[in-house]
Amino acid sequence: MSESCTVGRYLVDRLRQLGLEHLFAIAGDYSIEWLNRYVAPSGTKIIEEVNEVNAGYAADGYARMKGIGALCVTYSAGALCAVNAVAGAYVEKVPLVLINGTPSVKKTIVFEQTGFSAHHFISGRETDLQSFEHLTVAAVRIDNPDLAPALIDHALTRCISERRPIYIELLQDMVDLECEPPRGVLKPARILSDETSLEQSVARICAKLESAENPLVWLGVEIDRLGLQDKALSLIQQLNVPFVTELLSKAVLSEDDPLFVGVLDGQASSTVVTDLARTSDFVLALGVWLTDINSLGWDPDYDKTAFASFDAVKFGTFFGGQVALEHLIDGILAEEIAPKERKLPEIPARGVPTVSDTDVITYQGFYDYVQQYVDRNTIVGADASMNYFGSLLLDVPSPGGFVVQSSYSAIGYSAPAATGICLAKGPGQRVLVFSGDGGFQMTAQCLSTQTRLGLDPIVFVIDNGVYAVEQWLADAGVFHSDEPFYKPCELHRWNYSALADVFGCRGWEVGTYGELGDAVTGALENSSGPSVIQVRVPQKTIPDNARWKAH
């Protein structure tokens, strides 16, 4: 070896080169030596979480802000608890690194040959690896120090290239063994396009942009995942056409931009947005993913919409394969299409609603009221719940200021994800999380980690006592009648604000707008830890843009 390096140090050095400053972890005897001897001295801050799924969601939120996130767990009993978080990151293209501390080669062979089991074993060396092969773009087992550098580099390169999770199985007896030191700096693999497909796609789209009287640009989540915000903004400004986003890409560009109209999300969209989509004669959808969450009772007009995503262009009967989104935008920009002269639709001004301090808070009223606290220093997180609808119409002026897991839609994601977001955010920014009570019950321990670290998210728990979104999906008519909720949708009621006493943070319980205003004022002044605001709303109130699904 030309320089002294070990497998444990190699992995740490590579992660630091990629910009990782915090590592989320759960203590386990198969991984603790690596954490203690290599991660801690490196300057990477270890964030000790309370359980693996919260650690995974926190690392996911961190990765969305920083470009990479990582968590370290222990074999099987720990790793398999993180499956849901890794699956969500895979679906939503989040670059997440799962490091799984694993029993030694000797323990594995003894188990496989004699049946003498080490704790956490299920079926030997393949259990965890095979589980994560389906949820990652690379799954590697580090059981030889000479192969470790190549395996680690391969997995991390796949992670930053494909923007998806990877799995690294780090055997406990490999950590201190010598290996070659890192060479150079890891970079994403080159993006490739088929020249013929690219030229045809650019030509077809530019022809439509030039001939269309009322074109519209629809920006999707891949603009964020691939770091194409500046190029997308340049294109919109060059064309001088209005743009909309999807829920998953809300606030990918500033919503203060004069060309921004709103979020196009089926019948949950504002009337201004649906009218614009209906009257536009050509829609250029860049990086948009089609899911049931961003259609919601509405089907795109495929004859007038060109979809560029997943390395392909689809427009009517035209298909252009192997067309990278970045190359497509570059090609359209290079054509320098003359800007359109088009009057933008008028967007109604939003002000603070006129309510009495003693009025009971409704679901829609809550969002109308809380808008005044969302500014350019605010990052909003919305959980899988009826909060999708309320937050969809919020004005979020900060680019990248909205985080949602709406494609995978695991309830309980947003509150623990706020841990990672708080660690990755810029100075002066504040995180507001809107959670349903059902989802919050799944991951409430996040308050413990946030309190211990002095993080200051404001977590609003909308307390209506039911899994309202599940009821809405199954039978929304219940919200417009005297019919009871489905029994599986009913929750055991918690005193959410009292959890502040358990975890050592601040808490408020509110049911009127006066109480809500006092609570938010107090929470904004609390910068030493998290604030949980329990917002009681009548069970059958829902956001206005969810009322279309009555039956």
Side-chain angles (χ1 to χ4, degrees), residues 12-342:
V12 170
D13 287 350
R14 280 306 199 200
L15 290 170
R16 292 208 32 101
Q17 286 177 1
L18 294 176
L20 190 78
E21 297 175 356
H22 299 82
L23 176 74
F24 299 87
I26 303 291
D29 60 332
Y30 295 138
S31 57
I32 199 165
E33 293 301 329
W34 177 68
L35 292 168
N36 189 49
R37 290 208 298 270
Y38 292 97
V39 180
S42 74
T44 301
K45 186 171 178 56
I46 300 172
I47 306 300
E48 300 89 353
E49 265 288 1
V50 293
N51 61 47
E52 288 81 7
V53 70
N54 277 22
Y57 290 154
D60 178 293
Y62 184 90
R64 292 177 192 233
M65 305 292 291
K66 293 281 286 186
I68 192 165
L71 68 152
C72 178
V73 297
T74 200
Y75 198 66
S76 288
L80 298 182
C81 286
V83 162
N84 206 41
V86 175
Y90 183 86
V91 169
E92 304 221 344
K93 286 197 171 182
V94 178
L96 188 67
V97 180
L98 174 62
I99 299 139
N100 189 11
T102 304
S104 67
V105 173
K106 180 179 178 180
K107 287 179 180 177
T108 304
I109 293 173
V110 168
F111 173 66
E112 292 175 342
Q113 296 296 322
T114 71
F116 189 95
S117 180
H119 56 285
H120 301 334
F121 265 134
I122 300 174
S123 60
R125 73 186 71 194
E126 298 299 328
T127 308
D128 289 21
L129 188 70
Q130 289 180 345
S131 297
F132 284 99
E133 282 177 342
H134 303 285
L135 305 173
T136 61
V137 292
V140 298
R141 177 179 170 89
I142 310 301
D143 57 7
N144 185 302
D146 294 338
L147 299 178
L151 290 170
I152 291 170
D153 286 359
H154 162 73
L156 289 173
T157 301
R158 293 289 298 272
C159 180
I160 62 176
S161 300
E162 300 184 44
R163 318 299 294 172
R164 274 184 160 148
I166 62 168
Y167 170 83
I168 297 177
E169 204 161 273
L170 184 62
L171 274 67
Q172 63 181 149
D173 55 339
M174 293 292 115
V175 171
D176 294 327
L177 298 184
E178 288 192 358
C179 68
E180 290 286 345
R183 304 294 183 191
V185 178
L186 298 182
K187 297 179 181 179
R190 286 180 298 152
I191 54 173
L192 302 175
S193 292
D194 177 83
E195 287 300 323
T196 300
S197 290
L198 177 61
E199 290 173 4
Q200 291 175 345
S201 298
V202 169
R204 191 168 291 249
I205 288 172
C206 287
K208 289 299 296 184
L209 287 170
E210 289 175 334
S211 64
E213 294 293 329
N214 299 303
L216 173 67
V217 174
W218 188 11
L219 296 184
V221 65
E222 287 184 7
I223 296 296
D224 172 75
R225 299 298 189 264
L226 302 177
L228 301 177
Q229 294 92 332
D230 290 344
K231 291 188 176 186
L233 180 59
S234 295
L235 178 61
I236 289 165
Q237 291 174 339
Q238 183 187 95
L239 297 173
N240 192 39
V241 299
F243 74 95
V244 294
T245 58
E246 54 180 336
L247 178 61
L248 194 56
S249 60
K250 179 176 170 63
V252 64
L253 301 180
S254 174
E255 295 189 345
D256 275 353
D257 191 289
L259 292 172
F260 176 70
V261 180
V263 177
L264 179 56
D265 204 296
Q267 295 195 47
S269 314
S270 69
T271 302
V272 173
V273 170
T274 53
D275 287 347
L276 180 66
R278 177 176 49 81
T279 57
S280 293
D281 51 358
F282 176 62
V283 179
L284 176 57
L286 299 174
V288 170
W289 296 348
L290 293 178
T291 77
D292 56 356
I293 298 297
N294 63 27
S295 58
L296 290 174
W298 165 85
D299 289 323
D301 187 335
Y302 296 101
D303 290 331
K304 72 174 185 181
T305 305
F307 287 95
S309 56
F310 297 109
D311 294 331
V313 174
K314 303 163 285 283
F315 180 30
T317 58
F318 172 79
F319 178 81
Q322 198 183 4
V323 177
L325 183 58
E326 181 175 358
H327 293 162
L328 179 75
I329 296 175
D330 286 341
I332 300 171
L333 280 168
E335 293 298 313
E336 298 183 350
I337 299 171
K340 296 288 180 180
E341 293 185 8
R342 181 179 181 185

Side-chain angles (χ1 to χ4, degrees), residues 336-382:
E336 298 183 350
I337 299 171
K340 296 288 180 180
E341 293 185 8
R342 181 179 181 185
K343 183 179 179 181
L344 293 174
E346 292 188 10
I347 301 174
R350 294 183 63 170
V352 180
T354 303
V355 292
S356 167
D357 283 353
T358 58
D359 286 350
V360 172
I361 301 169
T362 64
Y363 221 127
Q364 182 61 47
F366 167 77
Y367 274 97
D368 292 339
Y369 190 88
V370 83
Q371 174 66 68
Q372 63 188 298
Y373 302 106
V374 179
D375 59 23
R376 291 195 68 84
N377 291 318
T378 306
I379 300 174
V380 172

Side-chain angles (χ1 to χ4, degrees), residues 489-507:
C489 292
E490 295 177 356
L491 290 171
H492 172 64
R493 305 297 285 266
W494 286 12
N495 186 349
Y496 300 96
S497 59
L499 291 175
D501 294 330
V502 175
F503 296 118
C505 55
R506 297 285 306 278

